Amino acid sequence: MYVCSCFGVTEDQVREHAAAGACTPRQIASACKAGTDCGSCVRRIQGILGRGSCPRRAALERGEPALTAEAAQPAAPQEPAPNPPVPQPVTLPVPSVARAAA
């Protein structure tokens, strides 16, 4: 059965994305666009996902960290990109206009 008529996403597709790790309607939307147009399917997607289908949520309920140690660490700062060269202004010659004698 279709969940999202706008993009032709079925319940089975939503369940497949959930099994692959999508835990929220937003993550489902990132995977298949369901819920990003008219939004009428978002509640149905929430119902399919249910309460216990998210591995991260289940880990939190067991008192375990939801993120791995690597994911919890802030990313190391990257070197700033070098400044691009500044283009120099181009001066074009101005054509002279001969004035006709009146």
Side-chain angles (χ1 to χ4, degrees):
M1 172 180 247
Y2 284 102
V3 173
C4 177
S5 300
C6 298
F7 294 104
V9 179
T10 65
E11 288 182 20
D12 289 338
Q13 289 172 310
V14 171
R15 286 189 180 98
E16 287 172 11
H17 292 301
C23 299
T24 65
R26 183 171 288 178
Q27 291 170 340
I28 296 292
S30 294
C32 63
K33 290 187 174 182
T36 61
D37 195 26
C38 75
S40 65
C41 59
V42 174
R43 286 188 184 247
R44 179 73 179 131
I45 292 169
Q46 288 172 330
I48 292 169
L49 292 175
R51 190 70 190 135
S53 62
C54 182
R56 289 179 287 167
R57 187 180 302 129
L60 285 174
E61 289 172 355
R62 290 190 305 264
E64 299 171 2
L67 298 175
T68 63
E70 293 171 355
Q73 296 294 327
Q78 297 178 354
E79 280 190 38
N83 292 334
V86 177
Q88 298 298 318
V90 177
T91 306
L92 299 175
V94 178
S96 60
V97 179
R99 293 187 179 234

